[in-house]
């Protein structure tokens, strides 16, 4: 029963990893940008939620109504003012710029909020659970988080394959020069993609902050989990990304069940195993 | 030329960094007219079309005048909204988009005019049956039809075609070229770049021959002989 419980918890945790990964793979897909600052932006969203909840006296979930659009605006501005200038035929400059951004965000957060670890309090919902019988119970909060992750990824999938904006994303990814001939301004399309990515980051950041303690230094590890989920799932497929997140979550959860120190290690081992056996990922580019 | 020109190039230069690819190109194209640009590999034909379309920045605003408005140096996404569409060399369809999505994205500027999905499917009926197929899974000729249809979807006043016969069987090329006069009859002007000189002479009203970035011969298609073209082409 403990094992089943571990797997269930792992699946639910995996939803969060799927969210980390979805924003990352969206950006890579549209503009071939590897965003090293992705994890730190997740942490930034968590602090933003902290400020919003304290200033307005609202809970973390209602704070999403502000944090999600705010992060989207930050994403749009970041792309227009900074990242678009670094993009080009060479992959290295944007890598260096986002690495620099990662350092700046970490230090900025450290300066403003100190290194103390924080947590968002969600109230009674944190301890609410659905009994499944047989001693098994599922927390309402992890379930909600998983549901939001699935909904967000379904939404991204729908947007990518069923809307003019998604068409513009795919066309620009295929051939940015010809996309310009269609009247698409690459800089604007990229900025919209970054806005969307950071909206997803905001969801991830708030749920992360409700689930665990956070401090300014935890970003890079979230980036790694996001990367691992993308690689395990396979590039270019959003559902694959969610599946990758779930597998990573389950691996970590089973690892922790064996020995609490093995949680992260088990995730890395699964990642290495996939890289060795199926480097293209388990579910590359499965459509709609 | 009796009518006021739709497109006018005034001593247009173009550069790739320090390398100058076009030198003082002047030409005029009237509404509904078909101009052919011919020349050997590397003469600057594609550069000319890309500069008109805004993919390469013209050095000055006045170097490209379209419908009376100076548009030199405008970005490509601004040029298409004014009614200039380019069918790029090598077709370059969006590979993750279906046939229909390629057409739809061609129409995203929503310029008013006769072209719509239905009109393109009427013009190229074979595309209607394959509308949900990934565009790059079609045959070369059908892909070229998608590329032309994608450009038409923006309801251009000027259609730029870069080597639409490239890599296609002669029967397909004839089929595609047979449809172009209908476009000109609607009032759409065209600049077609072609390696196949007899095809160009047959399709065009006016012919410009480029060599090393300069116009070395210009005349009506009727007045030009193959010998004169060959001489200009190779500079003999
Ligand atoms: N991206 C580029 N960077 C630098 N030089 C270029 C670039 N593209 C083309 N050129 C150069 O500009 C000149 C004109 O090239 P262009 O592609 O316009 O020729 P073209 O007449 O279209 O030839 P083709 O018949 O082979 O298509 C050539 O000397 C070519 O080497
Ligand atoms: Mg060319």
């Amino acid at each position: 029963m403990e094992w089943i419980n571990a797997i269930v918890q792992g699946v639910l945790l995996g939803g969060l990893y799927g969210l980390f990964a979805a924003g990352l793979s969206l950006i890579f897909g549209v503009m071939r940008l590897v965003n090293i600052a992705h994890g730190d932006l997740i942490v930034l969203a968590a602090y933003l939620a902290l400020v919003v909840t304290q200033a307005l006296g609202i809970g973390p979930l209602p704070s999403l109504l502000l944090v999600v659009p705010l992060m989207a605006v930050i994403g749009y501005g970041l792309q227009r003012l900074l990242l678009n200038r670094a993009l080009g035929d060479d992959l290295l400059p944007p890598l260096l710029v986002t690495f620099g951004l990662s350092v700046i965000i970490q230090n900025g957060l450290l300066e403003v909020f100190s290194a103390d670890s924080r947590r968002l309090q969600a109230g009674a919902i944190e301890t609410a659970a659905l009994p499944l019988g047989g001693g098994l119970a599922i927390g309402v909060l992890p379930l909600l988080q998983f549901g939001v992750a699935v909904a967000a990824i379904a939404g991204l999938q729908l947007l990518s394959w069923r809307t003019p904006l998604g068409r513009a994303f795919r066309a620009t990814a295929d051939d940015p020069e010809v996309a310009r001939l269609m009247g698409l301004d690459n800089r604007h399309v990229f900025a919209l993609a970054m806005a969307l990515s950071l909206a997803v980051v905001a969801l991830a950041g708030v749920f992360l902050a409700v689930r665990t303690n956070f401090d300014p230094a935890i970003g890079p590890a979230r980036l790694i989990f996001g990367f691992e989920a993308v690689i395990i799932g396979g590039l270019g497929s959003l559902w694959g990304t969610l599946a990758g997140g779930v597998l990573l979550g389950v691996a970590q959860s089973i690892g922790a069940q064996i020995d609490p120190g093995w949680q992260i290690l088990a995730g890395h081992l699964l990642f290495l195993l996939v890289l060795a056996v199926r480097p293209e990922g388990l579910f590359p580019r499965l459509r709609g | 030329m009796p009518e006021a020109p739709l497109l006018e190039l005034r001593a247009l230069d173009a550069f790739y960094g320090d390398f100058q690819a076009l030198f003082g190109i002047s030409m005029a194209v009237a509404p509904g007219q078909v101009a052919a640009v011919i020349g050997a590999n590397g003469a600057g034909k594609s550069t000319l079309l890309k500069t008109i379309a805004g993919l390469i920045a013209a050095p000055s605003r006045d170097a490209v005048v379209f419908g009376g408005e100076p548009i030199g140096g405008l970005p490509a996404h601004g040029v298409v909204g004014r009614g200039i569409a380019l069918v790029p060399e090598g077709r370059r369809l969006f590979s993750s988009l279906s046939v229909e999505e390629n057409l739809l994205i061609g129409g995203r500027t929503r310029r008013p005019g006769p072209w719509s999905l239905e009109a393109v499917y009427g013009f190229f009926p074979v595309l209607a049956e394959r509308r949900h197929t990934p565009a790059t899974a079609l045959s070369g000729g059908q892909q070229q039809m998608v590329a032309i249809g994608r450009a038409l979807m923006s309801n251009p006043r000027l259609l730029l075609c870069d080597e639409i016969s490239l890599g296609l069987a002669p029967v397909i090329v004839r089929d595609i070229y047979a449809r172009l006069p209908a476009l000109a009859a609607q009032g759409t002007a065209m600049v077609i770049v072609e390696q196949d000189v007899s095809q160009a002479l047959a399709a065009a009203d006016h012919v410009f021959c480029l060599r090393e970035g300069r116009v070395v011969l210009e005349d009506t298609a009727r007045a030009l002989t193959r010998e004169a073209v060959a001489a200009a082409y190779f500079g003999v």
Side-chain angles (χ1 to χ4, degrees):
Chain A
M1 206 42 84
E2 275 171 12
W3 289 96
I4 296 178
N5 188 48
I7 290 172
V8 170
Q9 300 310 325
V11 169
L12 297 181
L13 173 63
L16 191 61
Y17 293 166
L19 278 186
F20 293 172
L24 206 55
S25 96
L26 174 72
I27 289 307
F28 183 79
V30 173
M31 60 187 106
R32 301 285 173 265
L33 172 75
V34 178
N35 184 6
I36 303 290
H38 194 74
D40 305 290
L41 288 162
I42 293 172
V43 179
L44 177 69
Y47 277 101
L48 207 56
L50 182 71
V51 171
V52 168
T53 51
Q54 286 177 351
L56 303 183
I58 56 178
L61 297 180
S63 84
L64 283 171
L65 290 175
L66 268 172
V67 177
V68 170
L70 269 175
M71 287 301 289
V73 170
I74 290 174
Y76 190 92
L78 197 62
Q79 187 70 36
R80 287 303 293 240
L81 298 176
L82 184 68
L83 299 175
N84 275 341
R85 293 164 204 271
L87 287 175
D89 294 334
D90 194 353
L91 281 175
L92 195 59
L95 213 59
L96 292 177
V97 168
T98 57
F99 181 71
L101 187 65
S102 155
V103 173
I104 290 170
I105 293 174
Q106 282 183 47
N107 282 289
L109 290 175
L110 197 61
E111 199 61 45
V112 178
F113 296 99
S114 84
D116 297 349
S117 69
R118 312 288 178 111
R119 180 117 184 211
L120 291 185
Q121 305 298 334
I125 193 175
E126 279 187 40
T127 47
L130 298 176
L132 290 188
L136 214 59
I138 297 187
V140 170
L141 197 61
L143 198 60
L144 180 68
Q145 167 198 296
F146 187 76
V148 167
V150 172
I153 283 168
L156 283 178
Q157 183 79 11
L158 221 60
L159 185 138
S160 292
W161 294 98
R162 295 271 180 272
T163 68
L165 181 62
R167 209 151 57 214
F169 283 161
R170 284 181 290 135
T172 308
D174 283 348
D175 192 332
E177 186 177 56
V178 177
R180 292 169 59 203
L181 292 173
M182 308 293 120
L184 291 165
D185 181 352
N186 292 174
R187 294 164 304 175
H188 178 62
V189 173
F190 290 163
L192 287 177
M194 188 56 87
L196 196 60
S197 170
L198 290 210
V200 176
V201 155
L203 286 177
V206 170
F207 279 108
L208 175 76
V210 173
R211 182 183 186 99
T212 52
N213 291 340
F214 61 96
D215 64 65
I218 67 162
R222 308 312 115 175
L223 172 71
I224 302 280
F225 296 160
F227 266 139
E228 290 184 341
V230 171
I231 301 291
I232 292 170
L235 262 177
S237 138
L238 282 162
W239 288 121
T241 298
L242 179 65
V246 165
L247 287 173
L248 183 65
V250 170
Q252 289 191 357
S253 197
I254 289 178
Q257 187 67 29
I258 296 169
D259 181 307
W262 286 9
Q263 177 182 357
I264 307 300
L265 180 68
H268 294 337
L269 287 178
L270 171 68
F271 165 69
L272 288 176
L273 187 72
V274 170
L275 260 191
V277 181
R278 256 181 88 99
E280 73 277 23
L282 299 179
F283 315 97
R285 185 136 220 160
L286 95 200
R287 294 190 174 189
Chain B
M1 217 173 292
E3 277 176 278
L6 176 67
L7 173 76
E8 202 180 343
L9 305 182
R10 298 177 182 161
L12 173 69
D13 296 337
F15 298 85
Y16 293 102
D18 289 336
F19 175 76
Q20 184 163 8
L22 296 180
F23 298 84
I25 306 279
S26 293
M27 68 169 56
V29 183
Q33 204 186 32
V34 180
V37 176
I38 58 176
N41 286 336
K45 307 178 298 296
S46 297
T47 305
L48 179 64
L49 296 194
K50 285 184 178 181
T51 311
I52 298 170
L55 288 177
I56 299 170
S60 80
R61 189 104 324 181
D62 290 328
V64 184
V65 179
F66 184 67
E69 183 195 6
I71 61 162
L74 278 189
H77 58 86
V79 171
V80 61
R82 286 170 167 76
I84 298 181
L86 170 63
V87 182
E89 188 172 7
R91 306 184 272 272
R92 292 175 66 177
L93 300 182
F94 298 114
S95 56
S96 56
L97 273 57
S98 67
V99 168
E100 186 147 305
E101 286 181 311
N102 268 275
L103 296 176
L104 284 171
I105 204 151
R108 64 172 296 290
T109 52
R110 304 199 179 281
R111 275 175 53 81
W115 292 102
S116 61
L117 273 184
E118 283 60 44
V120 170
Y121 290 144
F123 198 60
F124 296 119
V126 56
L127 297 185
E129 303 150 24
R130 317 221 46 192
R131 51 172 46 166
H132 299 304
T133 312
T136 42
L138 301 188
S139 70
Q142 291 172 355
Q143 286 193 35
Q144 191 58 268
M145 292 176 191
V146 177
I148 295 171
R150 180 177 69 178
L152 290 175
M153 286 290 288
S154 69
N155 282 300
R157 290 191 283 163
L158 174 67
L159 182 68
L160 310 171
C161 298
D162 199 346
E163 303 208 25
I164 46 182
S165 65
L166 196 73
L168 301 182
V171 49
I172 312 271
V173 175
R174 273 198 298 281
D175 179 33
I176 290 179
Y177 267 94
R179 293 167 209 255
L180 297 188
L183 300 179
Q186 284 183 347
T188 311
M190 276 178 268
V191 177
I192 55 177
V193 160
E194 212 21 277
Q195 293 266 8
D196 179 343
V197 175
S198 39
Q199 191 64 259
L201 288 178
D205 306 307
H206 218 83
V207 178
F208 298 83
C209 184
L210 287 191
R211 194 172 70 235
E212 292 170 4
R214 294 179 171 85
V215 176
V216 290
L217 178 71
E218 170 191 352
D219 211 333
T220 60
R222 207 170 297 131
L224 279 177
T225 60
R226 287 192 57 97
E227 290 68 35
V229 171
Y233 213 90
F234 300 109
V236 290

